[in-house]
């Protein structure tokens, strides 16, 4: 039996085609397709779609029948012929609605089908009088059957994937117009908004740097920063204009072999294209402090309500350049924010507890401005039926004032600028049983924070207490003002070529192979602090007790630059063994050279200091310093990046209603260049500390030491710089990387079941998945200093003050970097959705995630000062992840209006905490604290939009979004200090007044389409 005969068709009628209505059996077949989910065929894992099926005539399967797909929007045409068994495959189709014309033995038929990003739709067509066997279900008039992208959900795939449709993007309530904000309607994915308005996307137990986003098949990976993709690290901006995104697909695990440079979720998005008619749109969003409810501290009168303004606006325009052959699409979006920031002194100080000179400063009403411009343009050209050429360009520019609020006044903030340009030239060629898709890309991304005030910085501080002071003797900040210290210059620039080849000429197999080559110049430089930072004890703030500043060492470039080369290859076979079983078999290999790391030569004076430092040559030392001294010849690029990607799906009845699936695979991410650059730019910019002999901070003044009696001349940065030149390397921190660094990766395992069924007279889909993921080899920097006996702690002490005082002679503390950070995740993913259709006018979705997430370093931090390494460190509950999370959405159209809602409920997240009570003061350990065990976060959002049709092509609309309708308070600040033996903290878990935003907020939007 040919497996394709068992599949149900997915199409809608074309009333203008002039063809007769199909037989009742075909009508039932079409209806059943709404209940079923199309099987994955060629390009199902990418952005292009596939239509595949069987053409039947009077005598059975029609050989050599002509099948033509024509895009109804832009006239793009693809044509194939059926084989001897009547099978055909139309691969590499841009998502959209197509008219399928079938001709065989003098007879013809026409159908319409809508396919989504990466979708594979099955369409079996009869051109004769013999009816096809209908699947179970009642027959329905084909004129009423409309298949949209939301109704087509894959079942016969091992990927754990969910679609986000254009309807959901356009209708669901949101604040930021970041298209990734809708990814959290997918089980296992979190889209988070920080207290300062920055956004981030993470999946499972891993941080944001584990994800990758592919726009029109091209990865947007950030090679320097930790946001996962460019434009998403500590930014309030959007990575891409939402008007330019048609739809996207979220794959949380077990992606196929074409996906690279990630270890958690993959998001593959397709952009909009122009059509044969001119269309345009404009929108404007606005909200302000007058439309926002007060925070808890504002209600109490502790801080005044800061004035704020948030505006977003944009436009798009598209149409034909050559009818049916060439089209354009352009869009622009802008963001202008002025967001309130509350001053909350550190160490739980109330403002009225501060010394009198600082109280007025702390009562300032401050706001953080942000401005972003986003441009996107696309030209598509089909010079022939077998050819498609696309040229796309994206430009992003953003500026903001950040790092203010809390203990930082506005003058202490950072002016952060980002800029990005990406260009993609794509050429696709389609033949009868194969297709080739090639991309030539260019990218230029920069990130450059600067201090908002170029003057000395002032830090008001207070001593820590009890065991907390033993673990961290540093004074704790209370208030910061003057000039801040953040100065960075980071970015990536280069070209890439990638090519994907798909062949479906082997019966039952879809084979895909590809390669990618990328030459990318990467830059990283960071000077911390940029301006001198003077620290004052709150008990005596007449003179500083310490100053920290950066001096420039000689012989080092101001920035670390590396000409990286990346190379990747893969082979994927999707094998439909029979009508029940499909196997997804893939293998990938990636390789990257980083000359700045591999060719680095440890400076001779540093090597001499290391060799002469007896503390690290003792037999008790747990590492060999020679593993971290680079000669320029003893480091090699990681070459073991082999990644098997294996999966299966088993259709129980062969009707795509009940499918069991599973998979196992490995995926390599990459080492962030910022971390690889530490050993260069941390040496280039000495971080120097000079102490001043003062009350409560006495030190011994010597001619060559770093202790001085303070006088006003020390307020001059030139005086500090002159002293630094007299003491080369004094106080300079040293970072050394292991000569055999590996690339971080994750191993993923899953088993689940998908179902399609009818309920309440409508078609529903459900999924249940058990997921296990382990990530390995994240970079960790630990203290290289050791005591004279080679120990990290005194004998018999498992936790205490590590040997910070045992500095490397001539330098300061030094750190060694190794692969050490790991996470573990056991998760249950449940989803239920009724896709939105024009016929029903409504749709709902529910996504529940249970996460048992653990990590061996809190929040996967890259620093650990409390242990010599993580060899004997246990796994604790991962921070920032709720055990239970439910996201429910609903959309309904009625009387020219669209009402939508989104409910998010989550159990409390674990917070960082140190336990010094259970095992004694010298045996402390990290024990995350969870504030409560019920609901830790809840938010309900609503949006209502009304559209007026003028009777022409011009339509005007007005929309209101209410975020956090019930003004639920989501507290994010708790006292997590546990205390010490004999003195437990009675206020453990006490809730403070800081809450997650938004409070109840109203946003007004309006615009028009034509």
């Amino acid at each position: 039996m040919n497996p394709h005969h068992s599949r149900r068709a997915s199409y809608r009628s074309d009333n203008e085609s002039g063809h007769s209505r199909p037989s009742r059996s075909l009508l039932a077949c079409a209806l059943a397709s709404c209940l079923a989910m199309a099987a994955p065929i060629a390009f199902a894992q990418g952005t292009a779609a596939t239509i595949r099926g069987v053409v039947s005539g009077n005598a059975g399967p029609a050989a050599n029948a002509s099948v033509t797909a024509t895009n109804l929007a832009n006239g793009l045409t693809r044509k194939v012929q059926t084989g001897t068994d009547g099978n055909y495959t139309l691969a590499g189709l841009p998502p959209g609605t197509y008219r399928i014309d079938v001709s065989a033995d003098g007879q013809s038929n026409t159908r319409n089908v809508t396919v989504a990003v990466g979708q594979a739709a099955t369409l079996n067509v009869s051109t004769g009088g013999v009816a096809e066997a209908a699947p179970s279900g009642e027959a329905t008039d084909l004129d009423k059957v409309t298949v949209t992208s939301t109704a087509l959900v894959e079942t016969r795939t091992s990927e754990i994937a969910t679609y986000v449709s254009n309807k959901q993007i356009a209708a669901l309530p949101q604040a930021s117009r970041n298209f990734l904000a809708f990814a959290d309607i997918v089980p296992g994915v979190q889209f988070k908004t920080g207290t300062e308005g920055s956004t981030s996307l993470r999946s499972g137990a891993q941080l944001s740097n584990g994800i990758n986003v592919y726009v029109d098949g091209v990865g947007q990976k950030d090679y320097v920063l930790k946001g996962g993709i460019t434009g998403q690290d500590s930014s309030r901006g959007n990575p891409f204009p939402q008007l330019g995104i048609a739809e996207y697909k979220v794959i949380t695990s077990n992606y196929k072999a074409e996906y690279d440079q990630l270890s958690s979720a993959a998001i593959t998005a397709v952009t909009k294209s122009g059509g044969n008619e001119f269309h345009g749109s404009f929108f404007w969003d606005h909200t302000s402090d007058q439309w926002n409810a007060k925070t808890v501290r504002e209600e109490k009168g502790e801080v005044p309500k800061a004035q704020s303004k948030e505006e977003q606006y944009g436009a798009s325009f598209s149409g034909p350049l050559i009818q049916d052959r060439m089209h354009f699409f352009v869009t622009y979006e802008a963001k202008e924010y002025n967001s309130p920031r509350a001053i909350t002194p550190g160490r739980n100080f109330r403002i009225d507890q501060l010394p009198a000179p600082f109280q007025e400063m702390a009562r300032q009403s401050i706001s953080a401005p942000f401005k972003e411009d986003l441009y996107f343009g696309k030209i598509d050209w089909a010079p022939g039926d077998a050819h498609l050429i696309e040229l796309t360009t994206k430009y992003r520019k953003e500026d903001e004032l950040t790092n203010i609020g809390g203990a930082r006044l506005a003058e202490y903030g950072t002016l952060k600028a980002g800029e990005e340009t990406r260009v993609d030239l794509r050429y696709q060629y389609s033949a009868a049983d194969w297709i080739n898709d090639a991309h030539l890309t260019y990218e230029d991304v920069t990130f450059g924070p600067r201090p908002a005030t170029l003057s000395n910085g002032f830090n008001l501080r207070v001593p820590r207490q009890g065991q907390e002071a033993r673990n961290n003797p540093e004074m704790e900040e209370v208030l910061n003002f003057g000039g801040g210290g953040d100065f960075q210059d980071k970015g990536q620039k280069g070209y890439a070529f990638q090519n994907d080849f798909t062949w479906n000429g082997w019966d039952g197999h879809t084979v895909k192979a590809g390669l990618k080559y990328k030459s990318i110049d990467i830059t990283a430089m960071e000077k911390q602090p940029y301006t001198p930072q003077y620290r004052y004890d709150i008990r005596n703030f007449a003179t500083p007790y310490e100053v920290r500043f950066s001096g420039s060492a000689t012989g080092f470039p101001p920035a670390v630059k590396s000409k990286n080369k990346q190379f990747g290859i893969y082979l994927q076979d999707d094998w439909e063994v029979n009508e029940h079983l499909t196997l997804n078999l893939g293998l990938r290999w990636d390789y990257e050279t980083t000359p700045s790391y591999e060719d680095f030569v440890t400076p001779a004076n540093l090597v001499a200091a290391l060799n002469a430092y007896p503390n690290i040559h003792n037999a008790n030392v747990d590492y060999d310093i020679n593993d971290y001294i680079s000669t320029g010849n003893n480091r090699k690029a990681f070459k073991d990046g082999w990644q098997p990607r294996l999966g299966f799906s088993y259709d129980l009845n062969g009707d795509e209603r009940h499918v069991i699936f599973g998979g196992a695979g490995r995926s390599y991410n990459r080492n962030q260049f910022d971390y690889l650059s530490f050993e260069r730019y941390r040496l280039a910019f000495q971080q120097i500390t000079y102490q001043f002999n003062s009350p409560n901070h006495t030190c011994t003044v010597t001619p060559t030491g770093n202790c001085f009696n303070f006088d006003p001349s020390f307020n001059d940065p030139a005086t500090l710089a002159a002293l630094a030149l007299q003491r080369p390397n004094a106080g300079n921190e040293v970072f050394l990387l292991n000569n055999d660094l590996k690339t971080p990766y994750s191993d993923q395992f899953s088993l689940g079941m998908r179902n399609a069924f009818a309920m309440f007279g409508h078609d529903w889909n459900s999924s249940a998945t058990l997921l296990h993921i382990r990530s390995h080899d994240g970079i960790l920097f630990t203290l290289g200093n050791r005591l004279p006996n080679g120990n990290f702690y005194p004998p018999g002490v498992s936790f205490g003050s590590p040997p910070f005082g045992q500095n490397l002679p001539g330098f300061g503390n030094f750190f060694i970097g190794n692969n050490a950070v790991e996470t573990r995740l056991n998760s249950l993913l449940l989803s239920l959705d009724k896709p939105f259709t024009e016929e029903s006018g409504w749709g709902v979705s529910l996504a529940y995630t249970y996460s048992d997430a653990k990590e061996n370093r809190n929040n996967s931090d890259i620093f650990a000062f409390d242990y010599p390494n993580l060899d004997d460190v246990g796994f604790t509950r991962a921070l920032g992840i709720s055990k239970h999370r439910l996201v429910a959405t609903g959309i309904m159209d009625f009387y020219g209006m669209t009402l939508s809602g989104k409910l998010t409920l989550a159990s409390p997240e674990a917070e960082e905490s140190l336990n010094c009570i259970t095992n004694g003061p010298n045996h402390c350990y990290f024990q995350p604290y969870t504030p409560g065990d019920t609901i830790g976060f809840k938010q309900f959002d609503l949006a209502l939009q009304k559209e007026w049709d003028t009777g022409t092509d011009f339509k005007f609309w007005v929309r209101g979004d209410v975020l956090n309708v019930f003004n639920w308070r989501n507290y994010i600040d708790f006292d997590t200090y546990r205390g010490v033996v004999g003195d437990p903290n009675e206020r453990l878990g006490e809730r403070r007044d800081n809450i997650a935003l938004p409070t109840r907020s109203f946003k007004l939007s309006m615009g028009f389409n034509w």
Side-chain angles (χ1 to χ4, degrees), residues 74 76 78 94 273 321 325-328 378-392 424-430 436-439:
N74 58 30
L76 173 71
R78 292 283 167 76
S273 300
L321 296 173
R325 290 299 181 187
M326 181 179 288
H327 314 86
F328 73 93
K378 182 178 186 177
I379 294 177
D380 64 87
W381 178 35
D385 291 350
H387 307 271
L388 175 63
I389 299 172
E390 292 180 345
L391 176 64
T392 61
D424 175 23
L425 177 61
R426 181 180 193 177
Y427 172 60
Q428 195 178 87
Y429 179 81
S430 303
N436 195 77
D437 192 15
H439 291 262

Side-chain angles (χ1 to χ4, degrees), residues 536-554:
Y536 292 79
D537 192 322
I538 199 171
R539 299 168 296 180
N540 174 36
F541 50 86
T543 59
Y545 69 87
E546 186 176 271
V547 62
R548 294 193 174 191
F549 65 100
S550 292
S552 297
T554 59

Side-chain angles (χ1 to χ4, degrees), residues 937-956:
F937 181 91
K938 54 183 178 180
Q939 182 171 325
F940 179 58
D941 305 330
L942 281 175
L944 179 64
Q945 179 171 318
K946 169 63 177 176
E947 184 176 77
W948 288 269
D949 193 337
T950 63
T952 64
D953 289 333
F954 185 87
K955 296 181 179 180
F956 175 74

